[in-house]
């Protein structure tokens, strides 16, 4: 009898090793809860809405636990946790704050003066382009051999590796890699 219990315990221990310890982001539940907290201007009315829609919280938790968090664990992306349309204030190297809005295919950056710059990813070409004042300029493109093709400010293109040596080559070609020795 003890050997049977030992086998069952060993199987249960082995089974726990197969399950993930990731609890996930529970994006659907959190989005619904955030909506509920800001549904109206009154926290009392929001509480009444929350009580009335209490079963929805359970459904959202169930869907997150079984479906969306599992997708997030295996793919790395939660289909509910989209950041598209969200804007964040990011401090630049110059100490000023820039508004960075997440787009479906890239980012839109607005400086404090209101000038806008977009960085767009083209999935078909696997490239990133810059759009400013209606002018589109490809910045770089991923090559099939594991390198990238960089477009310099003068329009010249060069292929470099995805490592520090490649970054150094681009800096040298762009004129930003000049170093002076001083005594």
């Amino acid at each position: 009898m003890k050997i049977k219990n030992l086998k069952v315990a060993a199987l249960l221990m082995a089974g726990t090793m197969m399950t993930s310890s990731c609890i996930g982001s529970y994006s659907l539940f959190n989005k619904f809860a955030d909506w509920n907290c800001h549904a109206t201007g009154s926290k009392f009315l929001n509480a009444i809405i929350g009580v009335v829609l209490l079963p929805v919280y359970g459904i959202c938790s169930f869907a997150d636990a079984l479906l969306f968090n599992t997708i997030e664990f295996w793919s790395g992306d939660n289909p509910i946790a989209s950041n598209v349309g969200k804007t964040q204030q990011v401090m630049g190297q110059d100490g000023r704050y820039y508004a960075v809005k997440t787009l479906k295919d890239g980012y839109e950056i607005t400086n404090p003066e209101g000038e806008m710059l977009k960085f767009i990813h083209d999935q078909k070409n696997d490239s990133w382009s810059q759009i400013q004042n209606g002018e589109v300029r490809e910045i770089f493109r991923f090559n099939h051999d594991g390198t990238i093709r960089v477009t310099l400010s003068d329009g010249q293109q060069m292929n470099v590796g995805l490592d520090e040596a490649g970054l150094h080559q681009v800096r040298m070609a762009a004129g930003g890699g000049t170093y002076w020795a001083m005594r």
Side-chain angles (χ1 to χ4, degrees):
M1 185 61 115
K2 288 188 179 197
I3 293 177
K4 184 177 181 183
N5 289 341
L6 183 62
K7 286 181 183 178
V8 170
L11 285 172
L12 287 175
M13 291 293 283
T16 60
M17 300 295 264
M18 301 284 218
T19 61
S20 74
S21 63
C22 176
I23 60 169
S25 61
Y26 284 86
S27 297
L28 182 62
F29 178 86
N30 290 331
K31 283 189 177 197
F32 180 72
D34 186 55
W35 170 83
N36 186 194
C37 289
H38 301 95
T40 67
S42 169
K43 65 181 180 180
F44 300 108
L45 188 54
N46 291 345
I48 292 170
I49 292 170
V51 170
V52 170
L53 297 178
L54 196 60
V56 177
Y57 279 100
I59 292 168
C60 290
S61 293
F62 185 74
D64 271 330
L66 291 182
L67 180 63
F68 299 121
N69 288 346
T70 305
I71 293 170
E72 180 179 7
F73 176 76
W74 289 107
S75 71
D77 294 322
N78 190 317
I80 303 296
S82 172
N83 288 328
V84 174
K86 290 187 178 179
T87 302
Q88 295 181 0
Q89 296 295 321
V90 177
M91 182 186 290
Q93 290 179 342
D94 58 1
R96 302 183 317 165
Y97 283 94
Y98 294 81
V100 179
K101 181 178 181 180
T102 305
L103 306 173
K104 184 178 180 181
D105 57 353
Y107 301 95
E108 177 183 278
I109 301 170
T110 306
N111 70 11
E113 288 81 35
E115 296 171 349
M116 193 181 335
L117 172 71
K118 289 183 182 180
F119 293 102
I120 304 296
H121 180 253
D122 182 1
Q123 268 189 323
K124 186 176 76 173
N125 297 329
D126 201 11
S127 66
W128 281 89
S129 299
Q130 171 185 328
I131 302 173
Q132 188 172 24
N133 300 327
E135 184 181 329
V136 179
R137 187 174 75 85
E138 184 177 287
I139 302 170
F140 65 91
R141 175 184 301 235
F142 292 95
N143 297 326
H144 296 291
D145 63 356
T147 62
I148 59 170
R149 184 176 73 197
V150 178
T151 305
L152 302 172
S153 58
D154 62 359
Q156 188 180 26
Q157 294 183 338
M158 62 187 292
N159 289 324
V160 297
L162 281 170
D163 54 11
E164 288 181 42
L167 179 61
H168 180 71
Q169 286 176 321
V170 172
R171 283 186 179 160
M172 294 302 284
T178 306
Y179 299 103
W180 298 93
M182 293 183 66
R183 225 176 206 201

